[in-house]
Amino acid sequence: QWYQRRVRKAVVSTQSTGKKKGKKKGKKGDSGGGDEEEGFKLAPSTFIPGIDEASTNYDEIWKTRDETDNFQQKYDAELIKELKRGEVEGEIRVQVDDLMRQELKNLKAALQKDAGKKGGKGSAKKKGKKKDKKGGKKGKKEKDLTPDRTIESLYEELVKEGILVQYPKVKISDFMGEYSYLGTTLRQANIEPMPSLADVRRVTTEYGILPMGSQTVHETAPFIKSMLIAGPHGTGKRMLVNAICSELGANLMDLTAENICGKYPGKAGLTMLLHLVMKVGKLLQPTVVYIGNAEKTFIKKVPKNDMSDPKRLKKELPKIIKKMSAEDRIMFIGTSLTPWDGDVKGMCQVYQKIILIPRPDYASRYLLFKELILRMGGRLSATLDLSSLAKISDGYTPGHIMGAVKHVLTERRVQQLTRKPLTASEFVTPLARVDPIYKEEEEQFKKWYSKTPLGKKRDKLKAEDEEGEGGGKGGKGAKGGKKKGKGKKKGKGKKKKGK
């Protein structure tokens, strides 16, 4: 209060002195009335505009609002809508303007066409009709058979019918296998080596996981619509399909002949089934469509005891795959145990990439035994000769090896490991009960693969290389032969002259 009184007195005194000076100057006739009054002036505050804004905001929104029941201070949806409404209107306005400009262009183009048609009729009409027909065919869109249904109802129907199925979570790294370090040595000896399990894992990642994982990569990378995985029993074909789905978080649709048998009967039913699969697959990308025993779809002669109608998808599959665009992150994956039973040409038309899984080599078998024993709770010791075990298990698949390890490492056996370590002989008995993959079966797979487009190219290149090597040697011999022949002729001519 004392400070305020002193300030008031100072202000009053300054005002009175200013008035007296003004009167004196006025009497003398000086022209100094426009000068500013002297005194202390406050600088403009940077906080007052913000306080004013907050005050007006409070008066407009919060002053009349009752917040007694909102103790947790939950958000108000209406306030958020009001704030965002302006942003949405601005975005929509830009889109509407673009559409209006496009419509204007189309109208101008239509007017120009009409003006051109009036000038020259006759042949122009015929050409126009042809163009319209062609354009109509290209611009045709698929008819939506379920326009009134929601995606949730379609998804539920596919789950109930057993088309959209669950799959075990498997990582691609769980498909174990070692690289083939002898591959280069075998190629130098003109022997084409079989791919290793590590090669299969790499190719599956490049063809199945990487393109499907990103929309940008899928649109820019080479477009792969379908893939066939062939190999003997127990090599991990279905495991690779599950690994692709797990890594992508994809939906898995099962269109195996046995699974769709009796479901959606007739031609109309099949059309509806494929429509549902593609519609749900496109809306809930990425999607993997699995076809087990893919060779049955293209089998030459259906066995009498097979009641699953395996050829049901033969005509429809190529059409569906042909219609797929780069925007659709959908992949058809087939697996085959005996691919030579089906028509190679038909299978290659449907499946772009073919992956052949061989029986594991020594390095892969060694790795499989080591990793599986450790995963099942076993221990590695000096008594367990993994090298010998990998050597005697030649011809057995990863499935056979996993079965043998599970059979040996029971809960009771794991508890006894401290007193009784594992030995290689324990795994021999369960392996002996299973038939291995013999060389004849492997040769059959090689023979079938040589009939595929990639196999034919490989054989052609190999034949050209062999011809080039043989032709070079043969060419030199031919030249030498010609020279010798010429020498003989000359000698004969000299003898004749002497005679």
Side-chain angles (χ1 to χ4, degrees):
Q1 288 175 357
W2 174 81
Y3 178 73
Q4 286 176 353
R5 285 173 196 161
R6 292 295 299 271
V7 170
R8 283 173 193 166
K9 284 179 183 179
V11 171
V12 169
S13 63
T14 51
Q15 286 176 353
S16 62
T17 52
K19 284 178 183 178
K20 286 176 184 178
K21 284 180 183 178
K23 284 176 183 179
K24 286 177 183 178
K25 285 178 183 177
K27 285 176 182 178
K28 288 177 183 177
D30 294 336
S31 60
D35 293 342
E36 292 182 2
E37 292 182 0
E38 293 179 1
F40 177 75
K41 286 187 179 181
L42 291 169
S45 175
T46 54
F47 299 100
I48 288 171
I51 293 166
D52 289 339
E53 189 181 346
S55 177
T56 52
N57 188 25
Y58 171 77
D59 290 337
E60 289 173 3
I61 299 171
W62 302 104
K63 193 173 182 180
T64 57
R65 191 179 291 273
D66 185 13
E67 291 286 312
T68 52
D69 296 332
N70 191 13
F71 180 74
Q72 295 179 349
Q73 290 297 298
K74 293 180 181 178
Y75 68 90
D76 192 342
E78 291 301 321
L79 284 175
I80 296 167
K81 285 177 184 176
E82 284 178 16
L83 288 169
K84 293 291 177 185
R85 197 170 282 123
E87 295 177 15
V88 173
E89 282 178 4
E91 291 174 7
I92 292 170
R93 186 181 293 278
V94 174
Q95 293 175 7
V96 170
D97 289 344
D98 291 337
L99 287 169
M100 292 293 285
R101 288 191 193 98
Q102 191 64 39
E103 285 290 331
L104 186 62
K105 282 182 184 176
N106 292 340
L107 287 168
K108 284 180 179 178
L111 285 168
Q112 286 174 1
K113 280 183 182 177
D114 290 339
K117 282 179 182 176
K118 284 176 184 177
K121 293 180 181 179
S123 61
K125 281 185 179 179
K126 290 177 182 178
K127 287 179 182 177
K129 283 179 183 178
K130 285 179 182 178
K131 284 180 182 178
D132 290 341
K133 282 179 183 178
K134 286 179 182 177
K137 284 180 182 177
K138 285 183 181 177
K140 263 190 178 181
K141 288 186 178 179
E142 286 185 28
K143 190 179 178 182
D144 191 0
L145 301 175
T146 54
D148 302 327
R149 293 183 62 183
T150 60
I151 187 66
E152 288 82 4
S153 65
L154 298 176
Y155 192 93
E156 186 181 356
E157 183 180 335
L158 288 173
V159 171
K160 284 181 178 177
E161 292 292 338
I163 306 298
L164 206 152
V165 294
Q166 281 188 325
Y167 50 86
K169 302 294 179 185
V170 183
K171 293 180 181 178
I172 192 68
S173 56
D174 293 337
F175 187 82
M176 289 177 284
E178 193 59 88
Y179 288 98
S180 177
Y181 298 102
L182 293 172
T184 309
T185 311
L186 290 168
R187 281 197 183 94
Q188 288 172 355
N190 290 328
I191 300 169
E192 186 61 35
M194 288 291 283
S196 66
L197 296 183
D199 295 328
V200 172
R201 185 174 63 241
R202 177 183 59 79
V203 171
T204 305
T205 307
E206 289 175 2
Y207 290 163
I209 297 171
L210 292 178
M212 292 275 286
S214 167
Q215 185 67 41
T216 309
V217 176
H218 194 258
E219 289 177 5
T220 52
F223 185 30
I224 298 167
K225 303 176 184 178
S226 53
M227 185 167 64
L228 177 68
I229 304 171
H233 180 73
T235 49
K237 298 181 290 295
R238 184 61 192 264
M239 182 187 179
L240 282 175
V241 177
N242 293 333
I244 291 169
C245 294
S246 300
E247 295 288 351
L248 295 170
N251 296 302
L252 181 61
M253 311 271 194
D254 190 358
L255 292 184
T256 307
E258 289 82 2
N259 189 44
I260 62 172
C261 180
K263 298 170 185 176
Y264 298 94
K267 192 176 180 181
L270 181 61
T271 307
M272 176 59 77
L273 169 64
L274 295 174
H275 166 74
L276 291 175
V277 168
M278 294 306 292
K279 186 175 180 178
V280 174
K282 286 176 183 179
L283 291 171
L284 302 175
Q285 300 179 25
T287 302
V288 172
V289 181
Y290 168 68
I291 302 171
N293 299 321
E295 76 282 351
K296 288 186 177 181
T297 309
F298 305 94
I299 199 166
K300 292 161 189 175
K301 191 177 180 181
V302 181
K304 291 180 180 179
N305 57 352
D306 191 353
M307 306 301 290
S308 61
D309 191 12
K311 286 191 173 184
R312 193 179 178 191
L313 295 171
K314 186 177 180 180
K315 291 181 180 178
E316 300 297 328
L317 269 179
K319 293 177 186 176
I320 291 170
I321 291 171
K322 194 176 180 181
K323 287 177 185 176
M324 285 168 62
S325 63
E327 295 174 359
D328 306 328
R329 282 195 292 159
I330 301 172
M331 179 172 278
F332 284 78
I333 302 177
T335 58
S336 178
L337 187 66
T338 54
W340 49 82
D341 288 343
D343 180 29
V344 179
K345 191 177 178 182
M347 290 172 80
C348 292
Q349 282 177 352
V350 171
Y351 299 104
Q352 283 178 290
K353 300 292 179 182
I354 296 172
I355 299 173
L356 182 62
I357 307 179
R359 57 182 189 171
D361 54 5
Y362 170 80
S364 295
R365 293 195 300 275
Y366 185 92
L367 181 69
L368 280 163
F369 272 113
K370 182 182 173 181
E371 292 295 327
L372 289 172
I373 287 168
L374 290 172
R375 286 188 184 188
M376 299 288 179
R379 295 178 187 174
L380 303 178
S381 61
T383 57
L384 181 61
D385 189 0
L386 285 177
S387 181
S388 299
L389 193 59
K391 189 72 178 171
I392 63 169
S393 60
D394 185 19
Y396 289 97
T397 62
H400 297 151
I401 293 168
M402 184 177 275
V405 173
K406 278 184 179 178
H407 181 82
V408 172
L409 286 171
T410 58
E411 287 185 17
R412 187 179 178 185
R413 185 68 185 89
V414 170
Q415 291 171 357
Q416 295 174 349
L417 287 174
T418 51
R419 293 179 284 102
K420 186 182 176 184
L422 285 170
T423 57
S425 58
E426 292 181 68
F427 297 92
V428 175
T429 306
L431 283 174
R433 293 172 185 165
V434 186
D435 290 330
I437 307 300
Y438 296 106
K439 286 256 182 180
E440 291 79 12
E441 189 175 348
E442 191 174 8
E443 289 298 323
Q444 204 168 3
F445 273 102
K446 283 184 180 180
K447 188 179 177 183
W448 169 80
Y449 190 74
S450 64
K451 294 176 183 177
T452 63
L454 191 61
K456 286 177 181 178
K457 283 182 183 178
R458 186 177 286 176
D459 291 343
K460 190 179 178 181
L461 288 169
K462 192 177 177 182
E464 284 175 2
D465 290 342
E466 286 176 0
E467 282 176 12
E469 287 174 8
K473 291 175 184 178
K476 287 178 184 177
K479 284 178 184 177
K482 282 179 183 178
K483 284 179 182 177
K484 285 177 184 177
K486 283 178 183 177
K488 284 178 183 179
K489 283 179 183 177
K490 284 178 183 177
K492 284 179 182 177
K494 284 178 183 178
K495 285 179 183 178
K496 282 178 182 178
K497 283 179 184 176
K499 284 178 181 178

